[in-house]
Each structure stands twice: as C-alpha cells, then as structure tokens.
Amino acid sequence: MLLLACNKEDLLFKNPTSQETGVVFKNSLSPTNSLNILDYLYYYNGGGVALGDINNDGLVDIFLSANQEKNKLFINKGNLKFEDITAKSNVSGNSSWNTGAVMGDVNGDGLLDIYVCAVVGVHGFYGYNELFINNGDETFTESAEKYKLDFDSYSSSAAFLDFDLDGDLDIYLLNHAIHTQESFGKADLRYKRNEQTGDRLLRNDGGTFTDVSESAGIFGGINGYGLGISVADFNQDGYPDIYIGNDFHEDDYYYLNNGDGTFSDQLKNFFGHTTRFSMGNDVTDINHDGLPDIISLDMLPEDEVVLKTSEGDDNIQVQKLRTQKYGYHYQFTRNMLYINQQNSGYLETALLSGIAATDWSWSSLFADFNQDGEQDLFISNGISKRPNDLDFIKFVSNEQIQKKIDNTKLVDQKALQMMPSGEAHNYIFKGVKNLVFEDKSGEWISNKKGVSGATALGDLDNDGDLDLVVSNINENVLLYINQTDEKANYLKLKFDYPSPNTFGIGTKVYSYTKGELQFKELYTVRGFQSSSEPIVHFGYGPIQQVDSITIVWPNKTYQTIRNIAVNQQMIISPENTKPFKHSSLYKKESPLFKKASNALGVNFTHIEDNYTDFNRQKLIPYQTSDRGPAVAIGDLNNDGKEDVYFGGSKFNSAKFFIQKDNFFEEEKIEIISNDSINEDVTALIIDLNNDKKNDLIVGTGGSDFYNKMTPLLDVYYTQGDDNFEKQELPPYFENAAVIKSADYDND
C-alpha cells in the first residue's frame, strides 16, 4: 500500500498556533442531561465569525461569537499578532446562546458595527439579538433596542443589503424552526407567520428598522429551517436578490427582487431540484460569463462506510407524497452547484464538477486562493455526533424506547452513545476550466479531522492573498494563512462610497484581462453564520497588468478604470460616473425558435400512468417505465404536409394531429387509437414497404414490468388505400431498440 503525505511546508495554507497569533478562542460545548443534541437538534451548529477593520487602521480584525461561551474581539496588531480587547470593547454579549455574527456600517459613520444573532425562548436560552455600535475608539455600545433589532427569536444569521436602493443598509434576518408537530405539514405552512421561526426583512428607516416581511413577500412559517443565506443580483436587473437554504423538508427560497419593495419566490421556476438538508451556501461567477452562480451544501459522505451507515434520500413513495400531495419541491441529499443561465433554469453540475460529496458540510466559500484567475472552493466540515446514523435512528424509533425517552435520561445517554462521531477534515478544491474542481485537501490544507463550522475570508496579513478564519467546536479557532504571496498576481479593491452605505455593499466589478472576464459582487455575508472582509479580490496568475475594470455602483451608475498594475490594493470612490443600463448585460442572441401562439392547434398533454419501478426493483438507479411519450413527424395522409403522432401511455390512447393550412387538427385513427394497452416509447413514420405511402412503427414498453424495462419495437402499421392496418413485426425488427430511416426492403 502506498501512502502519500505532504509536509506542512508544502501546504498552500499554514496554521499558526494560538500562542503565535494571540487568537485564543474555543467554542466549547458541555452537553448535559437536560441539554444535548437530543433536546436541541442544532446543538452543534456552532457560533459565528466576522472579519473587518473595526478601527480603520488598515488591518483586518476578528470577532467570534460562541454558544455557551462569551464572544471575543481580537484587534490585528500586524504581522499576524492579535490582541484580545473583549473586556475593553464591551462586546462579550448578554445572551446565553449566540449564533451568527456579521459586520456592517449600520449608522453610516464609516465604522463597522457588529450584529450578533441569538437563539432565545427555547431550552432556557435567554437574551436577544445584540447590535454593537462602533464608537471609533475600540469600544462599542450595545444598541439593539434603540434600532429595533433586539429580536428574541431562533436566529441563525443576518445579511446586510440595500434591497430598496435608497442608499442605506437593510437587514435580512434568518431564523430557524425546531421540530414540533406543527412544523411538519403541507408547504403552505410557510404562509402563516410565526414570530419565533419566521425570517424577517428589516427596512432601514434612518435610525430604526421596520419589519416589512409580510408586505415584501418574505415567508415566515413554522417550517422555515433557515441555515444558509446569499445575496446577489441573480437576474442582473440592478436589484439585490436573496437565496435562502432551508434544512429538512422545507424548500429553499429563491427571492427575486421586483424592484418595488417586494420579492417573489421563484425557486420552482428556476431550479429542477435542491439540496435536502440545506446548510451554508455561497455565490460567485465560476465560468466567466458575468452571472452569479450558487453552491448549496448538504451532508453526503464521501467515505463509503459512513455513506452506508447514514440515512440517505427519501424513498420514492415519500418523495411523491412530499412533492405531489404536500407541495414541496424535489430535494436530494448532496451538494448542489447551480450555473446561472440568465432568466432561465439553472444548470446543476455538482456531480460533474466533482464537489457533490463533502460529508457534514457547513460553510462554503468561493475565492481565488492560488490567484490563477479561477475560483477555488473551501468547505468546512464535521459534527460531534451524527444523528442520521441508522443504528441510532432504529434505536430511537423503537416503540418501547419512544415511551421511555421522555421519562428517563438513561435512555438519552444510551441514544447519545449510539451516535458515532462525525469528525471530518475540511475540503478545499482548486477551480479549473469547464466547471471542474480538483480536490486539494491534504495538499493545500491539512486533512486533520475535527468539527469546523462558521468560516470567513480576509487578508489578515495584508500580503494580497486571502486567508481564512474557521470556528471549531471544542477546539481553538483555526487560522488558514495563505502562502501564495508573490507566486501569482492579484488586485484587491476597497470602496469609499457615500454615507450611509460607506463600504459600497452591493457594488459590482467586471475585470477584463486578455479577453477574459472576471465578475465579483460585494456582499460580506457569505458561507455560514459569518461575514467576510468587505473587499473584492481578483487573481491574475502571471499577468502584470489588468486591461480594465468596470465598477457598477449600487445606485446604478458606473465608471471604468484602464491599464491597472497588479499587486496593489485600490480604494475607489465614485468619480465621473455615468448611468448604467443593466439591460446591456442581457444576452443579445436572437432565439433560434419562437413559441407559436396556441401551439398551432397541437393540444396534447401526456398523462403518465402511476407506476413505480422501485416497488419491484429496489436497486435500479432510475425509473425506466416513464421513457415516453413517443413523438414522430411525417406525412400520414399523403397530402405533402408533415403531421404529428404522439404515443400514449398505458391505457391512454395515442394522438394524431393532421396539418391543415396554418394549423393542426386532431384526427382519430381507430385501429391505432384503440391499441392503448402498451406504453409508446418511440415511434417512426417511414415508408417501410415502398408503396409510396408512409407507415408507422411504434416501440412500446409492453404491458408488464419487464417489458417496460426494455422498450421493444414490436408493432407497426402500414397505410392502405383508406386506413392503416396493423401488421406483425417482420423478423428483422424483433427486439430492435433503434430504427433508422433506410431502404430496408432493398438492403
């Protein structure tokens, strides 16, 4: 057996110790008989990370929130040395269970404030979401009540955005549900607002925030298990949109901004399927087309043993129940990578891209870590106990255990012991061309196992490349310090935008170099329960000069800067701006086809019979009984015009549409329409017997399961003087799977 290992010196990222950096912080959890993962399913979701320069000295500082510990703030002193100023700064917090942490300039004074989320009102958790306003002297004043942001709900995270483009920063507050009898039900539960679990859209009205969730079309139901949030202008109309990742049975939300203060959830119109247990997510332009793409994380293990011992996807009956009766969308237990097709459905490529399975994944962050011009991907990973272990599920599902589980903690202890450890290594992928990622775990970063969660990006040592700060459960916070340095070139942009949006949140940047586009959009809330440094970073490999960058400001104006030297940080303000037309971003190609009004009379709806292959064959990878309907085009009535044949499903007759002058008219051909016992899978209109009249050959799935498995071309109809006649299939067509147009009689 060959074992390969990398020396620490060979890794792209180094991990300095807490003794070296001074960043001493451990999100320690101490399960008790009254509070553990059996009582609170999100017990191991962890705290938050927020990066930003809170004292405007040019160095990135670190704020860390904790669950059962106090928050901490570390000031960057340079050379990767940090000072703990928590006691001085007054940010340790008063809530008993803190979660996400985000930085943003709430009052428009040019200083980063800190908003910390909390879970309140369940399992004895007390407190409220806290807003720490920056005083400019490395101290903060807690002001959540003053700004009407002191919510006592089940908060996961929050995001700053200017959704109404009025110049100030609004807040989307992400909350999560907990399992109750009321949280399981039809999808329309999302329309009935619950103050504890429902998300909130908070409009900045200059000094206070107003909850406009309902009027804006934001869901707030008891079934909203919000864990992930990303903000971007997904449809490139100039207004920020929102993607929300929901855990468990609730759909993710794809909120498109209508530009009038309201949003519309368009998930089912743009996504064929989503992650099932949606965790963190992130946005970037992967394929250089100027459109923001999305990743959403789930919990599919790469390790075969863990995979086989963990609960997987719903069986087909449950999926049909969820989608057809309860109104939810299709969900699958793996990571999803959605490629933006601009005003069309997203392409989902995670399996193709090589990033579908990364185990119990929390935070995803796109960045060009090696600065070669392609977006790379970091994923934090791990959980202390796996509640989806099949042995554990079998144990707690036992009827006798269910009767005892609320009455004795001995059962709880046995259940906890049956949960295996979910410690796992973090993943990092190198982005290459054609939507492909290469796993560099163990080469770029250490593959040491642990439990990592919230993660944020920033240039901690001001050397131009991007570093990572990762919050861990029961271990010290992890700093990944990037060693790319001068090996590849970069450009780092900060924005000096007019108050109150002083950091230019929502700014877009289009970088052009040697004919290649790179696109970035500044939103700091990324990954999972975290916010990153408010900068835009590009990598350029060996290129020495950037041809141009176009900056589109949040107020829909733009400016272009040309011939820019690499390896510098630029601070850019609006200057000599012009109005920007977002319509210029839309694809200019004319469609090859145009949809005909009224379908030219072709009024056909396929009705599939309700047959489930998996009930008979448990191991087949997909259904084979729904391969229809068959479609064939050809002249069926010898008038020189092409007609259309649609095959039927089992017990549903085939349909014929005969072409008239400028439309089609349905016509019934008795001998064929009456033959509806089989499922028509494929069909061909062709002159089989050289009588100058087209015949029809139909491939059917048969009337039983095994014939459905392999569609056979087992019947054809020849056209006589007045009608079609059913013929026995000639020997040379028996069991044929494909028929090609050819002169079979003279072969």
Side-chain angles (χ1 to χ4, degrees):
M1 180 172 62
L2 178 63
L3 296 176
L4 299 176
C6 292
N7 296 322
K8 290 184 178 180
E9 293 76 14
D10 298 329
L11 301 174
L12 183 65
F13 290 87
K14 69 177 182 180
N15 303 121
T17 65
S18 58
Q19 289 76 21
E20 293 172 315
T21 64
V23 182
V24 180
F25 177 88
K26 184 184 294 186
N27 187 24
S28 298
L29 294 177
S30 302
T32 65
N33 285 338
S34 59
L35 181 60
N36 53 63
I37 194 172
L38 296 176
D39 305 293
Y40 180 44
L41 198 57
Y42 288 155
Y43 186 80
Y44 290 115
N45 283 27
V49 180
L51 301 184
D53 182 3
I54 64 105
N55 56 359
N56 288 342
D57 64 352
L59 298 170
V60 181
D61 309 308
I62 303 173
F63 177 85
L64 300 159
S65 62
N67 302 133
Q68 296 177 329
E69 305 287 340
K70 291 296 185 180
N71 309 322
K72 283 193 176 183
L73 177 61
F74 297 89
I75 289 294
N76 192 334
K77 308 299 288 186
N79 298 316
L80 294 176
K81 303 294 183 182
F82 293 82
E83 178 186 349
D84 184 348
I85 64 164
T86 305
K88 167 189 173 182
S89 63
N90 189 38
V91 295
S92 61
N94 298 299
S95 300
S96 61
W97 192 276
N98 291 315
T99 52
V102 297
M103 287 187 184
D105 186 1
V106 173
N107 55 0
D109 62 356
L111 298 169
L112 286 172
D113 310 303
I114 307 172
Y115 190 49
V116 184
C117 295
V119 177
V120 181
V122 63
H123 303 302
F125 297 156
Y126 59 85
Y128 51 87
N129 293 355
E130 295 177 281
L131 174 64
F132 299 102
I133 295 294
N134 195 330
N135 298 320
D137 58 359
E138 297 185 358
T139 68
F140 292 77
T141 302
E142 203 291 300
S143 307
E145 182 179 7
K146 174 183 175 182
Y147 285 85
K148 296 184 178 179
L149 294 173
D150 54 333
F151 296 102
D152 53 355
S153 54
Y154 310 155
S155 296
S156 296
S157 190
F160 287 105
L161 73 161
D162 183 7
F163 80 90
D164 50 6
L165 301 190
D166 65 350
D168 55 24
L169 291 182
D170 312 301
I171 295 176
Y172 188 103
L173 180 61
L174 184 68
N175 289 332
H176 70 257
I178 57 174
H179 281 343
T180 65
Q181 289 183 340
E182 288 76 20
S183 63
F184 291 94
K186 292 186 177 181
D188 57 12
L189 283 173
R190 66 178 69 121
Y191 296 107
K192 184 178 180 181
R193 181 156 294 279
N194 182 285
E195 294 302 312
Q196 293 296 103
T197 65
D199 294 352
R200 300 174 188 264
L201 182 63
L202 307 167
R203 186 183 64 210
N204 191 335
D205 289 332
T208 61
F209 287 79
T210 303
D211 188 343
V212 296
S213 308
E214 288 197 67
S215 61
I218 302 300
F219 299 139
I222 199 169
N223 58 346
Y225 294 82
L227 293 184
I229 178 169
S230 289
V231 182
D233 184 2
F234 293 117
N235 60 357
Q236 296 288 21
D237 65 352
Y239 288 88
D241 310 304
I242 305 169
Y243 188 94
I244 300 298
N246 281 306
D247 200 356
F248 299 111
H249 52 281
E250 175 62 318
D251 292 342
D252 292 353
Y253 306 143
Y254 181 63
Y255 290 120
L256 291 183
N257 194 326
N258 298 318
D260 59 0
T262 68
F263 291 80
S264 297
D265 176 36
Q266 298 287 333
L267 184 85
K268 291 184 178 180
N269 293 330
F270 286 86
F271 298 82
H273 53 270
T274 66
T275 42
R276 181 183 177 193
F277 303 103
S278 300
M279 313 282 264
N281 50 48
D282 197 21
V283 173
T284 197
D285 176 18
I286 296 170
N287 55 350
H288 304 279
D289 63 355
L291 299 172
D293 309 308
I294 309 170
I295 187 174
S296 178
L297 296 183
D298 208 297
M299 307 185 304
L300 180 66
E302 186 180 33
D303 183 273
E304 189 75 9
V305 174
V306 180
L307 177 65
K308 290 295 190 294
T309 57
S310 300
E311 183 184 25
D313 287 318
D314 290 331
N315 64 47
I316 189 66
Q317 271 78 20
V318 174
Q319 186 188 77
K320 285 185 175 182
L321 183 70
R322 290 182 64 260
T323 57
Q324 297 176 13
K325 183 176 180 180
Y326 283 80
Y328 294 100
H329 200 32
Y330 293 96
Q331 299 179 357
F332 300 98
T333 310
R334 62 173 177 82
N335 300 340
M336 303 289 175
L337 182 61
Y338 306 110
I339 306 302
N340 196 329
Q341 300 298 290
Q342 192 175 73
N343 294 322
S344 181
Y346 282 77
L347 295 179
E348 201 285 294
T349 68
L351 288 166
L352 169 72
S353 300
I355 58 172
T358 53
D359 210 342
W360 207 290
S361 304
W362 297 103
S363 184
S364 55
L365 286 173
F366 285 115
D368 188 357
F369 293 116
N370 64 344
Q371 298 182 167
D372 65 350
E374 300 295 332
Q375 295 303 297
D376 310 310
L377 175 63
F378 176 87
I379 296 176
S380 65
N381 207 2
I383 189 168
S384 297
K385 294 283 187 178
R386 292 186 184 271
N388 67 340
D389 178 72
L390 292 175
D391 288 334
F392 163 73
I393 293 172
K394 182 179 180 181
F395 174 77
V396 297
S397 299
N398 181 278
E399 186 175 346
Q400 290 181 325
I401 297 301
Q402 283 290 313
K403 292 178 180 178
K404 295 179 180 179
I405 203 162
D406 293 326
N407 301 319
T408 171
K409 292 301 176 181
L410 293 176
V411 175
D412 277 8
Q413 289 300 318
K414 185 174 181 181
L416 287 169
Q417 291 170 7
M418 294 192 71
M419 286 189 202
S421 168
E423 289 191 352
H425 70 79
N426 295 328
Y427 281 82
I428 195 164
F429 296 89
K430 175 185 176 182
V432 295
K433 297 291 185 181
N434 301 319
L435 305 177
V436 174
F437 290 84
E438 297 176 355
D439 189 355
K440 293 294 182 179
S441 310
E443 296 181 45
W444 284 9
I445 61 174
S446 167
N447 55 10
K448 178 181 179 293
K449 291 185 177 182
V451 181
S452 296
T455 308
L457 285 163
D459 185 3
L460 298 178
D461 50 4
N462 272 355
D463 62 353
D465 51 30
L466 292 177
D467 311 304
L468 292 156
V469 178
V470 182
S471 180
N472 298 317
I473 300 293
N474 296 328
E475 288 188 4
N476 198 68
V477 63
L478 189 60
L479 271 59
Y480 288 98
I481 304 302
N482 197 328
Q483 303 299 294
T484 298
D485 300 333
E486 73 282 352
K487 299 183 185 73
N489 298 321
Y490 72 92
L491 187 64
K492 193 167 66 170
L493 306 178
K494 291 186 177 181
F495 305 115
D496 182 10
Y497 195 67
S499 179
N501 183 11
T502 56
F503 290 86
I505 300 300
T507 300
K508 303 172 184 175
V509 184
Y510 298 84
S511 165
Y512 299 91
T513 306
K514 297 187 181 301
E516 184 159 84
L517 167 66
Q518 292 191 63
F519 168 68
K520 294 287 180 70
E521 196 169 1
L522 180 59
Y523 286 102
T524 58
V525 177
R526 305 174 55 192
F528 176 74
Q529 296 188 172
S530 300
S531 69
S532 293
E533 181 187 4
I535 61 170
V536 167
H537 170 274
F538 294 106
Y540 295 103
I543 293 173
Q544 298 292 326
Q545 181 171 279
V546 180
D547 295 340
S548 69
I549 57 172
T550 294
I551 300 160
V552 181
W553 298 105
N555 64 357
K556 296 185 179 181
T557 64
Y558 81 100
Q559 66 196 68
T560 299
I561 305 173
R562 304 184 187 278
N563 301 322
I564 305 158
V566 297
N567 296 336
Q568 64 166 318
Q569 173 180 289
M570 301 177 67
I571 300 177
I572 304 175
S573 302
E575 187 175 319
N576 299 321
T577 61
K578 301 176 183 178
F580 184 78
K581 293 183 178 180
H582 279 82
S583 59
S584 66
L585 300 174
Y586 298 158
K587 296 176 182 178
K588 301 300 190 299
E589 299 92 344
S590 298
L592 187 61
F593 294 93
K594 180 181 179 181
K595 187 175 181 179
S597 60
N598 299 322
L600 299 178
V602 182
N603 183 20
F604 173 78
T605 301
H606 177 70
I607 302 174
E608 185 65 34
D609 59 303
N610 188 23
Y611 183 85
T612 303
D613 296 3
F614 305 108
N615 291 339
R616 294 284 296 272
Q617 295 288 332
K618 301 293 185 183
L619 299 180
I620 58 175
Y622 57 87
Q623 289 209 160
T624 62
S625 62
D626 57 357
R627 301 297 92 183
V631 181
I633 297 174
D635 184 5
L636 290 170
N637 60 353
N638 303 310
D639 64 354
K641 298 176 182 177
E642 290 189 324
D643 310 306
V644 182
Y645 165 86
F646 291 104
S649 58
K650 189 175 181 181
F651 303 129
N652 289 284
S653 299
K655 300 284 186 181
F656 294 87
F657 291 88
I658 304 302
Q659 187 175 172
K660 304 300 182 182
D661 289 337
N662 292 308
F663 65 96
F664 289 82
E665 186 176 281
E666 184 177 350
E667 184 171 312
K668 193 169 185 179
I669 301 177
E670 293 288 343
I671 190 171
I672 300 176
S673 298
N674 292 339
D675 193 4
S676 61
I677 190 67
N678 294 322
E679 178 133 354
D680 301 334
V681 176
T682 187
L684 186 67
I685 297 173
I686 188 174
D687 183 6
L688 288 172
N689 54 6
N690 281 339
D691 64 353
K692 309 303 181 184
K693 297 176 183 178
N694 280 332
D695 310 308
L696 174 66
I697 184 165
V698 180
T700 69
S703 58
D704 60 75
F705 172 77
Y706 296 101
N707 280 339
K708 280 174 174 283
M709 287 289 289
T710 307
L712 304 178
L713 296 172
D714 56 3
V715 62
Y716 80 98
Y717 304 88
T718 58
Q719 188 171 178
D721 293 335
D722 300 318
N723 209 331
F724 283 84
E725 297 177 2
K726 186 175 181 179
Q727 306 290 341
E728 294 296 326
L729 192 70
Y732 41 82
F733 285 137
E734 288 182 1
N735 298 329
V738 177
I739 296 294
K740 295 183 178 180
S741 178
D743 185 1
Y744 293 104
D745 288 349
N746 299 308
D747 192 1

